[in-house]
Amino acid sequence: MALSDLLYPIFLFLSRLTLLHLAFDGWLIGGPLGQALCKLPSFLADASTLVSFQSLILITVDRFQATVVQLRSPLISRKFCRFFILATWIVTMAVRSPYFVAFQLVEYPRGIKCKKPWPEAFGETTCSNYLLAVAIMFLYIPFVLFLLLYSIILFTHHRGT
């Protein structure tokens, strides 16, 4: 989670700086390097956000296990901890992989621009379905899970005191 928290401001800053530059001038670099610089900052900024959310879920489950069901075998054991960390990155990379298709360098008469034509790349319905699915799976469900598990933790501690 620390790595994703570090990557987020770095790549968000780069993508925002790029957007500011694009508002006034064109894209400076063409070719494969320009494509990579067009796609990677936004991909990594959004990927680090999803990794943080997934890490928070793992932390919440671990806290739930440590406080509510202490005497049972751990839900997330030390043995599987590295697996879960790696899995959060793999799932995130898979979920955010459409960024590599959507972001493109587009040539205009006045220069090159980095654009994100989601509907043109995937179709209007596919784009809407993708964004809705990501919101449900990585924002709404984790939020409900946080509320549920922390409420159980709170009531368990309140009842115990």
Side-chain angles (χ1 to χ4, degrees), residues 55-133:
S55 298
L56 287 173
I57 291 171
L58 293 174
I59 291 168
T60 302
V61 169
D62 187 52
R63 287 181 180 169
F64 175 80
Q65 189 273 326
T67 57
V68 177
V69 289
Q70 305 147 352
L71 300 177
R72 296 186 188 151
S73 62
L75 298 170
I76 302 173
S77 67
R78 289 181 182 253
K79 186 178 180 181
F80 290 113
C81 190
R82 287 191 179 142
F83 167 76
F84 283 119
I85 291 170
L86 181 62
T88 60
W89 283 96
I90 290 171
V91 166
T92 297
M93 297 297 173
V95 167
R96 289 300 187 198
S97 63
Y99 274 55
F100 289 113
V101 176
F103 281 86
Q104 301 171 7
L105 286 181
V106 180
E107 289 193 41
Y108 292 101
R110 294 188 329 214
I112 303 171
K113 296 226 179 214
C114 179
K115 294 280 189 173
K116 180 177 64 168
W118 282 96
E120 290 86 12
F122 299 107
E124 190 67 41
T125 0
T126 306
C127 178
S128 298
N129 291 342
Y130 168 76
L131 295 174
L132 180 63

